[in-house]
Amino acid sequence: MISSHSREAYSLGQIPITPSAMATQNGCKLCAPLGASLVFKGIRGAVPLLHGSQGCSTYIRRYLISHFREPVDIACSNFAEQTAVFGGGANLKTALENVSRQYDPALIGIATTCLSETIGDDVPMFIKEYRAGRNAATVPPMVHVSTPSYQGTHMEGFHAAVLAVVSALAHDGTAGSEQRVNIFPGMLSPADLRHLKDIVAAFGLKAMVLPDYSETLDGGLWDTYQRIPSGGTSVEDIATAGSALASIELGHTLASRTLTAASLLEERFGVRAIRIGLPIGLRQTDALMLALAEVSGRPVPPRFTEQRGRLLDSLVDGHKHVNTIRAAVYGEDDLVAGVTAFLSEIGITPVVCATGGRSRHLTAAVQALVPQKRHAHITVLEEADFAAIEAAVAAVQPDVIIGHSKGYAMSRRLSIPLVRVGFPIHDRMGGARLLHVGYEGALALSDRLANALIDQRQAASPVGYTYM
Ligand code: SF4
């Protein structure tokens, strides 16, 4: 996929970096409907449907399956040449009919692709026309999200889909006896989502997590094939979002968006919006614990104090291996910001922080999260591709690279170890089970970082060593 785009790099030390090419070379981003499909996979009984050509859904399915190693059905309205000329209304209606008949879905999530956006298909009108000829009771809820990839990355598609779902389904309803909180976790792993739900439940709160693909994309072995895997947040639970005690939205760079799911619920129903960074590392996990303690009116449960203690102990133990280390981090804006904050806490200097994302808020987030005395050493790249990232990394030669598996070729060429985080992880097992969040996630990440550095030193030693 080749597209022209603006590319910007900033040095916190005020050294400007000039873009050297006008075309993307191996993008550090994925396409917008992929992010939207992931959100729809986190809703119980939902089927994602792409309005566009089959190649888009095949590419997205391939990407998701290679990471999650689960079957992923994504329907498509299958554009052909004549559809591109005359419009895709008929195709979309046929697709809606087929999906309704074959899957009996609780919701159909419709995301557009570059082609249907380029020809200007009026998807809301097509949906209205489809509904008009049918018994309303037999038509599943439908949520449409506009996801032209030439205007945004998978993260734009992801956040747009969360917003579209909340906007279409949430109402104020009755609060009931449960103490409920909305959690908008951002794009985390299934293991992260499970851990977050455990944390929220320990405060006596019921969480409406959107999206929750912790089971649908990381489930058990089946006896018989399931067209729609079990799990996910139900449409009914999403509908109660307007009467929750609060919404907790995770992500440092969400401040750059004019409207998010949490801010919409605050505007429409008065649900208090609490925004904190991804809870990666000590301080951001502390912030999550404090937020949950405040919302629930309960103290932090002892088991998290114990986990925090174990994390601190492990950081003291591993300090000699990571102190003075320099790292390059790349991936989604919010993940990069979260990992950068954690590195800074444990004595690793982040020297390159890069994203293909378009939030244009990573620089501000890094500035806020890293002590000022280190700013001069950090280069932040936004809207960057791997050509730009590799050039920046090669220039500063860090000790370790942290990011998803698309950076493996760079790591291999530069002989710098890669610690895998985020999405996609296509060249290792267990990408869905990587834990990043909470005290336990930080502990796992710090162990993996220290071990990667020890491994590198052992390999480089002429004699090797087995005891430290
Ligand atoms: S939606 Fe656009 S970027 Fe994504 S696969 Fe289709 S054509 Fe490519």
Side-chain angles (χ1 to χ4, degrees):
M1 184 170 56
I2 295 178
S3 63
S4 64
H5 71 301
S6 67
R7 185 179 319 185
E8 297 191 22
Y10 309 90
S11 166
L12 296 185
Q14 306 301 311
I15 304 166
I17 292 176
T18 308
S20 58
M22 292 311 294
T24 297
Q25 300 171 62
N26 194 9
C28 184
K29 60 181 179 180
L30 303 165
C31 89
L34 182 149
S37 299
L38 200 50
V39 171
F40 295 135
K41 290 299 292 181
I43 298 172
R44 183 170 301 169
V47 175
L49 165 59
L50 297 194
H51 184 46
S53 47
Q54 208 172 12
C56 302
S57 64
T58 303
Y59 151 66
I60 289 171
R61 285 175 50 242
R62 178 202 158 276
Y63 243 80
L64 295 176
I65 290 167
S66 300
H67 175 87
F68 293 105
R69 302 186 193 276
E70 296 284 357
V72 178
D73 280 16
I74 295 178
C76 183
S77 57
N78 288 358
F79 270 43
E81 286 85 349
Q82 64 271 32
T83 333
V85 175
F86 300 112
N91 281 46
L92 182 62
K93 290 167 198 166
T94 304
L96 290 171
E97 190 65 32
N98 287 340
V99 169
S100 300
R101 194 181 65 252
Q102 293 176 21
Y103 289 86
D104 189 20
L107 178 135
I108 303 177
I110 304 153
T112 46
T113 66
C114 297
L115 182 52
S116 57
E117 287 284 345
T118 302
I119 65 171
D121 263 1
D122 188 345
V123 174
M125 187 188 74
F126 296 155
I127 295 173
K128 207 168 157 190
E129 288 173 355
Y130 176 79
R131 285 185 179 286
R134 286 164 180 81
N135 177 352
T138 63
V139 179
M142 295 174 193
V143 175
H144 159 240
V145 57
S146 172
T147 47
S149 256
Y150 45 81
Q151 280 183 3
T153 70
H154 58 302
M155 289 315 296
E156 269 72 40
F158 185 98
H159 292 303
V162 173
L163 179 61
V165 169
V166 168
S167 179
L169 302 180
H171 57 70
D172 46 0
T174 51
S177 57
E178 291 168 336
Q179 296 244 297
R180 284 183 290 103
V181 65
N182 304 318
I183 304 285
F184 299 112
M187 193 169 152
L188 293 174
S189 75
D192 288 327
L193 296 176
R194 286 192 288 270
H195 193 48
L196 274 179
K197 288 195 290 185
D198 276 352
I199 291 173
V200 177
F203 283 86
L205 295 165
K206 180 175 163 51
M208 190 292 288
V209 180
L210 185 68
D212 177 10
Y213 41 79
S214 60
E215 289 177 61
T216 56
L217 291 176
D218 194 23
L221 205 58
W222 299 338
D223 289 334
T224 52
Y225 179 70
Q226 300 174 20
R227 277 182 180 264
I228 303 178
S230 58
T233 298
S234 69
V235 169
E236 293 75 22
D237 277 350
I238 298 168
T240 65
S243 57
L245 294 173
S247 301
I248 299 181
E249 194 166 55
L250 305 178
H252 289 283
T253 67
L254 286 170
S256 64
R257 295 172 194 277
T258 47
L259 189 63
T260 64
S263 61
L264 178 135
L265 289 170
E266 188 161 56
E267 272 176 37
R268 221 180 254 183
F269 306 114
V271 180
R272 183 176 155 218
I274 301 171
R275 184 173 291 149
I276 51 184
L278 287 188
I280 296 176
L282 203 62
R283 290 196 186 91
Q284 293 305 313
T285 305
D286 285 351
L288 175 65
M289 294 291 166
L290 291 176
L292 289 169
E294 195 208 328
V295 171
S296 67
R298 294 189 185 193
V300 175
R303 71 186 232 224
F304 299 124
T305 314
E306 289 159 16
Q307 287 176 9
R308 191 179 194 278
R310 273 194 295 277
L311 170 60
L312 282 171
D313 184 48
S314 81
L315 295 181
V316 172
D317 294 343
H319 188 62
K320 62 187 175 190
H321 301 296
V322 300
N323 191 28
T324 72
I325 290 299
R326 297 152 72 248
V329 195
Y330 62 85
E332 284 101 52
D333 316 46
D334 281 322
L335 188 71
V336 171
V339 170
T340 299
F342 178 52
L343 295 178
S344 188
E345 283 175 6
I346 64 175
I348 296 181
T349 302
V351 285
V352 174
C353 301
T355 181
R358 305 181 68 172
S359 75
R360 294 177 173 248
H361 211 67
L362 181 60
T363 307
V366 171
Q367 267 170 336
L369 292 164
V370 178
Q372 195 169 6
K373 64 182 180 191
R374 293 209 175 131
H375 288 186
H377 305 291
I378 305 174
T379 297
V380 179
L381 291 94
E382 303 200 54
E383 295 190 57
D385 60 14
F386 273 101
I389 296 171
E390 185 164 341
V393 173
V396 294
Q397 290 291 316
D399 302 284
V400 65
I401 301 172
I402 304 164
H404 51 71
S405 65
K406 284 188 81 179
Y408 170 66
M410 165 176 70
S411 142
R412 184 180 162 92
R413 276 192 290 270
L414 299 176
S415 299
I416 300 172
L418 172 66
V419 173
R420 289 164 179 78
V421 295
F423 173 91
I425 309 287
H426 287 163
D427 62 347
R428 287 289 185 279
M429 294 303 296
R433 293 182 294 280
L434 280 181
L435 188 63
H436 309 84
V437 303
Y439 301 124
E440 302 226 309
L443 198 148
L445 182 56
S446 68
D447 281 349
R448 288 194 295 125
L449 270 166
N451 287 335
L453 291 162
I454 292 167
D455 194 36
Q456 177 88 339
R457 286 173 198 144
Q458 277 180 319
S461 163
V463 292
Y465 54 91
T466 56
Y467 185 81
M468 295 172 296

